[in-house]
């Protein structure tokens, strides 16, 4: 089973990288970009039947730093 | 009594030798060098040092991989038993990632690597690491980091301040840290994490000696115990 974990900064946590990317987009002439936040996507191949609880634990024990980050798990159909 | 200090080396550590040299210069006893793959620490340690550098290439997040290594599990256990633990720079990042210290160290607010000597105020001169300084004293130590922007939620920051757990504060804007926090103690006072490098300021030849008192304090605390 393919699983994607999206890790993003919690709302309210300042994202200097997002701000720099925002400025760069404006510098390229793109209009109407209101805000940019930079996150991380982790793709994993896990055994079918891996429990949601195990996936959550992977996120909370390693993939995300719960002090500053949130995560979202997306399960993809087995190819 | 010999001062039994250990310095842990991770793949990518680059201040481990400096830390070991500083400990030896001040205590007179060579620090024991511990490899990240070791599952156990030497027995009866008086001090554990987690050095600066880029452990595991800063993969995922700075300090994240090192914090899950077997040796750091042993460091956490030792810290919980009261063994003094000092984490400098990447070592501080490892301490927050391991949960021994609250908060997190994020990318510097200005996004650039900062490498210079900065003024710090000693906010707590009562800890075993800082007893050799005067309360409120200004010292100068080098910093060299890309991810030293200390973050914790407001309630945590208030608690740290209220409990005297902010050990050092930057005297000027350095990296965007909340409340300019440069170094933090755990609740028991035996774990200190700090971004500035005391081990790089122990001899006039290095450009400063303001870091020396930190190691002297730790050695003195042991002798008094």
């Amino acid at each position: 089973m393919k699983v994607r974990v999206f890790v993003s900064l919690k709302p309210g946590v300042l994202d200097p990288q997002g701000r720099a990317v925002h400025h760069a987009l404006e510098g390229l002439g793109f209009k109407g970009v209101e805000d940019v936040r930079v996150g991380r996507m982790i793709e994993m191949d896990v055994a079918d039947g891996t429990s949601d609880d195990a996936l959550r634990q992977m996120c909370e024990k390693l993939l995300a730093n719960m002090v500053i980050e949130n995560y979202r798990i997306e399960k993809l159909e087995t190819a | 009594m010999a001062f039994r200090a250990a310095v842990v080396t991770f793949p990518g550590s680059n201040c481990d030798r400096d830390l070991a040299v500083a400990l030896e210069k001040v205590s007179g006893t060579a620090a024991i060098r511990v490899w990240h793959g070791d599952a156990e620490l030497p027995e009866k340690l008086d001090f554990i040092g987690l050095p600066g550098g880029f452990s595991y290439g800063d993969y995922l997040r700075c300090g994240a991989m090192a914090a899950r290594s077997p040796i750091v599990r042993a460091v956490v256990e030792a810290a919980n038993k009261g063994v003094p633990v000092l984490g400098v720079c990447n070592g501080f990042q490892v301490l927050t990632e391991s949960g021994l210290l609250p908060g997190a160290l994020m990318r510097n607010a200005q996004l650039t690597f900062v490498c210079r000597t900065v003024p710090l105020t000693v906010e707590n001169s009562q800890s075993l690491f800082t007893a050799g300084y005067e309360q409120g004293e200004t010292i100068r130590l080098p910093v060299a980091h890309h991810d030293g922007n200390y973050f914790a939620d407001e309630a945590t920051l208030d608690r740290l301040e209220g409990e005297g757990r902010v050990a050092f504060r930057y005297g000027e804007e350095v990296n965007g840290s909340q409340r300019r926090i440069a170094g933090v103690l755990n609740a028991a006072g035996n774990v200190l994490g700090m971004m500035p490098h005391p081990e790089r300021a122990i001899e006039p030849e290095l450009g400063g000696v303001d870091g020396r008192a930190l190691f002297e304090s730790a050695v003195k605390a042991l002798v008094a115990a």
Side-chain angles (χ1 to χ4, degrees):
Chain A
M1 171 171 64
K2 267 206 194 315
V3 174
R4 283 181 180 161
V5 174
F6 296 86
V7 179
S8 55
L9 285 173
K10 288 183 176 172
V13 175
L14 189 74
D15 180 9
Q17 293 182 82
R19 208 168 47 186
V21 172
H22 190 179
H23 287 158
L25 286 171
E26 286 174 339
L28 288 171
F30 292 104
K31 307 279 182 222
V33 181
E34 300 292 338
D35 191 24
V36 178
R37 309 275 286 170
V38 173
R40 170 187 286 124
M41 192 271 284
I42 297 155
E43 199 169 81
M44 301 189 290
D45 258 317
V46 299
D48 290 344
T50 301
S51 71
D52 289 356
D53 187 50
L55 291 173
R56 274 196 297 273
Q57 285 198 38
M58 290 179 204
C59 291
E60 290 176 19
K61 285 188 173 170
L62 178 62
L63 302 181
N65 179 340
M66 299 306 291
V67 176
I68 49 171
E69 293 170 332
N70 285 328
Y71 66 87
R72 180 168 61 80
I73 297 168
E74 187 181 285
K75 288 195 263 185
L76 305 177
E77 293 306 311
T78 307
Chain B
M1 183 166 43
F3 185 72
R4 272 176 69 83
V7 173
V8 181
T9 299
F10 301 101
S13 294
N14 63 10
C15 303
D16 44 338
R17 183 176 178 279
D18 300 43
L19 192 51
V21 167
L23 285 163
E24 180 169 358
K25 289 262 181 198
V26 170
S27 72
T29 309
I32 304 163
R33 307 295 294 273
V34 179
W35 184 236
H36 73 102
D38 297 345
E40 285 176 22
L41 287 161
E43 287 184 344
K44 295 187 180 146
L45 287 176
D46 300 314
F47 190 95
I48 301 168
L50 300 180
F54 302 87
S55 58
Y56 299 86
D58 282 347
Y59 291 170
L60 193 63
R61 295 178 303 274
C62 301
M65 295 294 150
R68 277 83 184 169
S69 65
I71 196 66
V72 169
R73 279 200 287 275
V75 170
V76 171
E77 240 173 70
N80 289 334
K81 286 181 188 153
V83 178
V85 178
L86 170 68
V88 174
C89 200
N90 188 222
F92 186 11
Q93 295 161 344
V94 173
L95 289 174
T96 57
E97 279 283 343
S98 72
L100 275 176
L101 291 176
L105 291 145
M106 302 182 56
R107 180 54 44 103
N108 293 345
Q110 73 277 32
L111 295 175
T112 52
F113 193 95
V114 52
C115 184
R116 66 173 196 265
T117 298
V118 300
L120 299 165
T121 48
V122 179
E123 298 286 326
N124 174 346
S125 63
Q126 308 295 310
S127 81
L128 72 96
F129 304 97
T130 56
Y133 297 104
E134 299 291 327
Q135 184 77 26
E137 183 184 350
T138 298
I139 61 170
R140 296 181 63 81
L141 293 180
V143 295
H145 60 250
H146 209 163
D147 299 82
N149 180 355
Y150 186 74
F151 178 90
D153 60 48
E154 286 295 312
T156 303
L157 292 169
D158 287 343
R159 198 178 73 236
L160 290 175
E161 303 255 19
E163 294 173 355
R165 289 168 57 188
V166 176
F168 299 103
R169 205 186 302 272
Y170 300 111
E172 63 186 33
E173 183 51 47
V174 171
N175 51 26
S177 287
Q178 301 277 311
R179 306 189 191 183
R180 290 195 180 166
I181 289 170
V184 171
L185 292 155
N186 69 340
N190 67 310
V191 178
L192 170 65
M194 60 193 291
M195 290 312 295
H197 288 271
E199 80 283 9
R200 293 190 191 177
I202 56 155
E203 311 256 27
E205 290 80 359
L206 297 175
V209 295
D210 286 358
R212 202 174 172 103
L214 190 145
F215 300 102
E216 286 168 349
S217 302
V219 172
K220 229 181 243 175
L222 169 82
V223 173

